[in-house]
């Protein structure tokens, strides 16, 4: 099915996870409309905004990790998820 892209299984899982995350957020927004608030980001954001900012921040952490260190990518993934969760909850 994905042979034309020469995707690896981890890459396909990341994109499937992102698609699932977007579907869950859309359903959640339908059930409970998002409310904008101010957090430590000092701008008014709703949960969709914080999700987007969190995903971009996680990508920056991962890219920076690759550029700066040779330590395990599992540790980088943990840091990136932590950054995204902190932004999602308190951002």
């Amino acid at each position: 099915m994905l042979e034309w892209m020469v995707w690896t299984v981890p890459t396909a899982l990341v994109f499937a996870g992102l698609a699932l995350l977007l579907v869950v957020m859309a359903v959640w927004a339908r059930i409970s409309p998002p409310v904008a608030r101010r957090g430590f980001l000092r701008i008014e954001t709703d949960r969709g905004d914080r999700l987007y900012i969190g995903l971009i921040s996680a990508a920056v952490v991962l890219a920076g990790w690759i550029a700066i260190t040779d330590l395990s990518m599992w540790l980088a993934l943990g840091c990136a998820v932590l950054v995204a969760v902190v932004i999602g909850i308190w951002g």
Side-chain angles (χ1 to χ4, degrees), residues 5 18-19 38 45 48-49 51 54-55 66 80 85 90:
M5 280 286 286
L18 288 173
R38 285 182 186 260
T45 59
D49 299 329
L51 173 66
L55 289 173
I66 290 169
V85 168
W90 297 293

Side-chain angles (χ1 to χ4, degrees), residues 33-55:
V35 177
R37 65 173 173 82
R38 285 182 186 260
F40 70 83
L41 294 174
R42 304 186 56 91
I43 57 174
E44 200 168 279
T45 59
D46 65 18
R47 63 180 166 248
D49 299 329
R50 290 187 301 274
L51 173 66
Y52 178 75
I53 294 167
L55 289 173

Side-chain angles (χ1 to χ4, degrees), residues 9-73:
V9 173
T11 304
L13 290 175
V14 166
F15 280 97
L18 288 173
L20 179 64
L21 184 60
L22 290 175
V23 168
V24 167
M25 290 294 288
V27 170
W28 188 12
R30 192 77 155 138
I31 293 170
S32 170
V35 177
R37 65 173 173 82
R38 285 182 186 260
F40 70 83
L41 294 174
R42 304 186 56 91
I43 57 174
E44 200 168 279
T45 59
D46 65 18
R47 63 180 166 248
D49 299 329
R50 290 187 301 274
L51 173 66
Y52 178 75
I53 294 167
L55 289 173
I56 296 298
S57 299
V60 168
V61 167
L62 290 169
W65 192 278
I66 290 169
I68 293 170
T69 183
D70 289 331
L71 295 175
S72 171
M73 285 303 293

